[in-house]
Amino acid sequence: MSVGVFLAVLFAALLHATWNALVKISADRLVLLAVLKIATTVVAVVSLPFVTMPPTEAWPYIAASVVIHTAYFLFLTIAYRFGDLSQVYPLSRGVAPLIVAGLAVFVLGETLGPQALVALLLISFGIMSMIFSGKGAAGQPKAVAAALATGCFIAGYTVADGAGARLSGDAQSYLMWLNVLNGIPIILIAAVRRPGTLVPQLRLVWKAGALSAIVSLLAYWIVLWASTQAPVALVAAVREVSMVFAVIFGVVFLKEKLELRKMLSIFVTLSGIVLLRASK
């Protein structure tokens, strides 16, 4: 992975942690996600005249990604309902690189060297060790279960979109066509679950939702582009430094506790990031 790709993915990690923090602090997370998807859908539709149509072989990956993304967003809202940002976010993101690495071998034919594999294990272990701080798994079993499910869906759409973007040959084209379809399920679910309050709630959260949309769209475009330049498993692992940003946001803005065990988890994760960058 080149220095440019590495730094770009780190920036995407910061952006990803930012919009997750916005979702966490929202009074109605489902409505905020609906606003996010409405905004990204509008941006995608407006962009269509300026991008090419993905090839036929990429469309099954787009369809699969829409389904997986919908499940991801639903489980993310459930996890945040029961758990802290600094616990739910690290756990869901931490399990994903391990699953991505396994899927990438069978789906994408990628291989990792010993040093990169050790780095990936350090990153995932450091992230997932967050559940042993604070309330931990015993105090938030529902949050842990939902976060683990969310991590599985993250791995699923990461591999699907990595493969789809490579087949498209154009990350921007793939992303825009994906987002044309990706928002429809969440918008419909929000309309069904909030039949009498959706429109009033939209007025309350549209600013945060629009900001989240811009940030998430940019973050994922960077990740898709990086997936065409470097192994998907490594991109997924580097992106998870977003955990560090999420913990900082949780402590500074949400007044969550920063314990010694969280600090050790951050240290292990960053050690893995440094080792990954040094690997060939």
Side-chain angles (χ1 to χ4, degrees), residues 46-133:
V46 172
S47 301
L48 290 186
F50 307 100
V51 299
T52 59
M53 174 79 75
T56 303
E57 55 267 29
W59 282 98
Y61 293 96
I62 292 177
S65 182
V66 169
V67 174
I68 299 171
H69 266 96
T70 301
Y72 157 69
F73 278 118
L74 290 177
F75 274 84
L76 185 65
T77 60
I78 295 171
Y80 281 153
R81 185 190 311 162
F82 295 111
D84 291 339
L85 173 69
S86 57
Q87 289 181 320
V88 168
Y89 188 91
L91 182 56
S92 63
R93 308 306 302 188
V95 72
L98 296 177
I99 302 174
V100 169
L103 291 175
V105 172
F106 297 102
V107 178
L108 304 178
E110 294 183 353
T111 57
L112 296 177
Q115 188 173 344
L117 183 58
V118 171
L120 188 149
L121 290 172
L122 278 175
I123 293 168
S124 292
F125 176 77
I127 295 170
M128 287 190 291
S129 64
M130 281 288 189
I131 66 171
F132 299 112
S133 62

Side-chain angles (χ1 to χ4, degrees), residues 7-263:
L7 293 176
V9 178
L10 286 182
F11 180 59
L14 172 61
L15 295 176
H16 199 278
T18 300
W19 79 258
N20 269 261
L22 291 172
V23 171
K24 171 62 180 177
I25 65 177
S26 175
D28 193 323
R29 299 179 185 94
L30 181 58
V31 173
L32 180 67
L33 287 175
V35 175
L36 184 155
K37 301 314 295 182
I38 290 171
T40 54
T41 301
V42 170
V43 171
V45 170
V46 172
S47 301
L48 290 186
F50 307 100
V51 299
T52 59
M53 174 79 75
T56 303
E57 55 267 29
W59 282 98
Y61 293 96
I62 292 177
S65 182
V66 169
V67 174
I68 299 171
H69 266 96
T70 301
Y72 157 69
F73 278 118
L74 290 177
F75 274 84
L76 185 65
T77 60
I78 295 171
Y80 281 153
R81 185 190 311 162
F82 295 111
D84 291 339
L85 173 69
S86 57
Q87 289 181 320
V88 168
Y89 188 91
L91 182 56
S92 63
R93 308 306 302 188
V95 72
L98 296 177
I99 302 174
V100 169
L103 291 175
V105 172
F106 297 102
V107 178
L108 304 178
E110 294 183 353
T111 57
L112 296 177
Q115 188 173 344
L117 183 58
V118 171
L120 188 149
L121 290 172
L122 278 175
I123 293 168
S124 292
F125 176 77
I127 295 170
M128 287 190 291
S129 64
M130 281 288 189
I131 66 171
F132 299 112
S133 62
K135 296 177 183 178
Q140 297 179 308
K142 292 181 180 179
V144 169
L148 288 174
T150 301
C152 292
F153 292 124
I154 291 170
Y157 74 65
T158 298
V159 173
D161 290 339
R166 289 180 180 180
L167 288 171
S168 295
D170 183 349
Q172 182 171 318
S173 170
Y174 181 90
L175 178 64
M176 293 309 167
W177 281 99
L178 171 64
N179 276 280
V180 168
L181 303 174
N182 211 9
I184 295 175
I186 289 295
I187 295 169
L188 293 177
I189 291 171
V192 170
R193 289 191 176 183
R194 307 286 192 273
T197 62
L198 179 60
V199 174
Q201 288 294 322
L202 286 176
R203 295 194 184 102
L204 295 176
V205 302
W206 74 268
K207 291 182 180 179
L211 178 59
S212 299
I214 295 171
V215 172
S216 67
L217 197 60
L218 177 58
Y220 204 53
W221 176 83
I222 294 173
V223 168
L224 284 184
W225 168 78
S227 297
T228 67
Q229 307 295 315
V232 172
L234 298 188
V235 173
V238 174
R239 182 177 60 170
E240 302 320 332
V241 77
S242 58
M243 179 277 291
V244 177
F245 298 122
V247 172
I248 293 172
F249 291 164
V251 171
V252 175
F253 299 109
L254 306 181
K255 307 306 179 184
E256 297 175 359
K257 294 181 179 179
L258 179 60
E259 299 140 334
L260 177 60
R261 282 175 289 187
K262 285 184 180 179
M263 296 176 65

